[in-house]
Amino acid sequence: MTETHSLYIGLMSGTSLDGVDGVLADFSNGAIQTLSAAFTPFPAELRSELMALQAASHNELEREALAANALALVYADCVRSLLPSCPAPVTAVAVHGQTIRHRPELGFTRQTNNPALLAELTGIDVIADFRSRDIAAGGQGAPLVPAFHEAAFGKPGTARVVVNIGGIGNISVLHGDGRVTGFDTGPGNVLLDLWIARHQGRAYDEDGAWGASGKVHQPLLNELLDESYFRQPAPKSTGRDLFHAPWLDAKLASFGKLAPADVQATLVQLTAVTIARAIRDEGVMPDAVYVCGGGAYNGALLRAIGVELGGVKVASTEELGVAPNRVEALAFAWLGWRFANREPGNLPAVTGARGPRILGALYPA
């Protein structure tokens, strides 16, 4: 694939399972510029099926293949919505796929996708399957965004932290001396979304208002924090394979009936505490913590993180020039650009891989 320009579309559908974020990016001369962005929601039936595929179930091989086909149609719609703003032909679409299993300790991760169909539907080269090569090299396959965070948000001589709060939370610690560390901290929005859906039928807690109306139940918080994952050393990564409804229900079992709003407040505190502890454990005092992902729109959560960090500035990546809901899609566009230029996309210090690796696989148009 010979690159004659530097326009890439990045597509990201994360553990929140709400839909597809897409960006059109220009990497001319090594710059990182977002030209336009789009969001395409999942049809209700596709979201339900992707949620069901998170766990073993009947006829799941066929059901996953059909879900991948349906997912490619949504991806293609998102791509088409971005094409009118393209000033030149797009080199490639870089697509993450939808994670339905993440078991690096068993040597695999599974992102549902049909990149061949996406290439057929769009007539554009598609780059996909970014995580498996890192796992093949002994890594976690995640998080992959820290390298991009350093490229986009790093400032020499300044320590800062970028926190992505999607369904799962992860941190990128930009030490200011060129070193980058990071890992998955644990639940981001996944339990918050689950709990409000169960009790109020809403997809998410807007600005954290419901959680803010409750009181943190300290014994429950202690029980939630008594999870071995939080004590594991990095590199480490996690997902819905661990933090799901049965996990939460098992933790709640010994507490009798608690007010649902108090449980939500406690889940907000769980996310805040685990993120703050992870940052402190990295031994860095950042000038600021910048948050991206859906969690950046939860004011109660951002305030809680700030309190846990003793007043360190906590702000959205909007302050650094990238809207929080565009960062991950832009990161995968950047990883696609790295692949096209045969440059590694992983950071072994983050994932634990044996060395830098070129990430992705090409599906030509």
Side-chain angles (χ1 to χ4, degrees), residues 187 191 216-231 242-243 246-256 258 263 266-267 269-270 273-274 277:
L191 300 178
V216 174
H217 190 279
Q218 191 62 45
L220 173 59
L221 179 60
N222 294 340
E223 178 64 23
L224 295 170
L225 288 168
D226 187 26
E227 162 58 53
S228 62
Y229 179 80
F230 301 132
R231 298 187 293 274
L242 173 59
F243 295 108
W247 181 89
L248 178 57
D249 290 339
K251 295 288 188 180
L252 287 166
S254 60
F255 288 95
L258 299 177
V263 175
T266 306
L267 293 174
Q269 196 66 15
L270 172 68
V273 168
T274 51
R277 284 184 180 178

Side-chain angles (χ1 to χ4, degrees), residues 328-353:
E328 276 203 294
L330 184 57
F332 279 91
W334 182 82
L335 286 169
W337 174 71
R338 297 283 290 184
F339 171 90
N341 288 279
R342 296 302 184 265
E343 297 285 347
N346 64 335
L347 292 177
V350 171
T351 67

Side-chain angles (χ1 to χ4, degrees), residues 101-147:
R101 297 286 199 285
H102 184 66
R103 300 297 301 275
E105 75 279 9
L106 298 179
F108 79 93
T109 188
R110 180 72 177 179
Q111 282 71 48
T112 295
N113 196 2
N114 189 339
L117 179 56
L118 182 58
E120 191 69 25
L121 292 169
T122 62
I124 303 171
D125 286 0
V126 172
I127 304 166
D129 190 23
F130 287 95
R131 299 192 184 275
S132 62
R133 182 61 193 275
D134 186 86
I135 287 182
Q140 291 282 310
L144 295 182
V145 291

Side-chain angles (χ1 to χ4, degrees), residues 4-326:
T4 58
H5 48 73
S6 293
L7 296 182
Y8 289 78
I9 288 175
L11 301 177
M12 178 67 193
S13 52
T15 50
S16 293
L17 287 168
D18 52 350
V20 183
D21 288 303
V23 299
L24 171 65
D26 186 357
F27 300 110
S28 299
N29 302 314
I32 300 173
Q33 182 181 7
T34 302
L35 301 183
S36 61
F39 175 75
T40 305
F42 286 151
E45 61 273 17
L46 176 58
R47 184 182 191 278
S48 177
E49 184 68 338
L50 291 171
M51 186 71 76
L53 286 167
Q54 302 287 321
S57 54
H58 173 69
N59 198 28
E60 61 182 331
L61 287 178
E62 179 173 325
R63 288 169 51 210
E64 189 212 345
L66 294 174
N69 289 348
L71 189 61
L73 296 176
V74 179
Y75 287 152
D77 284 344
C78 193
V79 169
R80 291 188 194 104
S81 70
L82 292 166
L83 291 179
S85 57
C86 292
V90 174
T91 298
V93 174
V95 57
H96 172 262
Q98 184 64 52
T99 300
I100 59 168
R101 297 286 199 285
H102 184 66
R103 300 297 301 275
E105 75 279 9
L106 298 179
F108 79 93
T109 188
R110 180 72 177 179
Q111 282 71 48
T112 295
N113 196 2
N114 189 339
L117 179 56
L118 182 58
E120 191 69 25
L121 292 169
T122 62
I124 303 171
D125 286 0
V126 172
I127 304 166
D129 190 23
F130 287 95
R131 299 192 184 275
S132 62
R133 182 61 193 275
D134 186 86
I135 287 182
Q140 291 282 310
L144 295 182
V145 291
F148 169 75
H149 288 161
E150 170 67 10
F153 305 132
K155 182 179 179 181
T158 301
R160 56 179 45 159
V161 175
V162 181
V163 182
N164 178 64
I165 308 178
I168 298 299
N170 60 66
I171 61 170
S172 299
V173 182
L174 315 180
H175 291 266
D177 59 2
R179 290 182 301 124
V180 181
T181 56
F183 51 89
D184 287 352
T185 57
N189 300 317
V190 62
L191 300 178
L192 296 169
D193 292 350
L194 181 159
W195 192 250
I196 197 168
R198 180 183 291 183
H199 288 276
Q200 297 198 351
R202 292 191 282 153
Y204 62 95
D205 185 6
E206 187 170 357
D207 198 34
W210 187 46
S213 73
K215 295 182 179 179
V216 174
H217 190 279
Q218 191 62 45
L220 173 59
L221 179 60
N222 294 340
E223 178 64 23
L224 295 170
L225 288 168
D226 187 26
E227 162 58 53
S228 62
Y229 179 80
F230 301 132
R231 298 187 293 274
Q232 289 176 19
K236 61 180 180 178
S237 58
T238 189
R240 287 181 183 268
D241 303 82
L242 173 59
F243 295 108
H244 45 42
W247 181 89
L248 178 57
D249 290 339
K251 295 288 188 180
L252 287 166
S254 60
F255 288 95
K257 188 169 179 59
L258 299 177
D262 291 349
V263 175
Q264 186 78 349
T266 306
L267 293 174
V268 170
Q269 196 66 15
L270 172 68
T271 296
V273 168
T274 51
I275 288 171
R277 284 184 180 178
I279 292 170
R280 288 197 301 269
D281 288 349
E282 286 296 283
V284 64
M285 181 55 68
D287 74 325
V289 172
Y290 294 98
V291 183
C292 58
Y297 300 98
N298 185 326
L301 177 55
L302 266 58
R303 289 190 294 274
I305 294 171
V307 170
E308 288 295 318
L309 289 172
V312 171
K313 176 183 175 180
V314 178
S316 157
T317 54
E318 192 83 56
E319 286 199 12
L320 300 177
V322 184
N325 59 345
R326 298 180 180 181

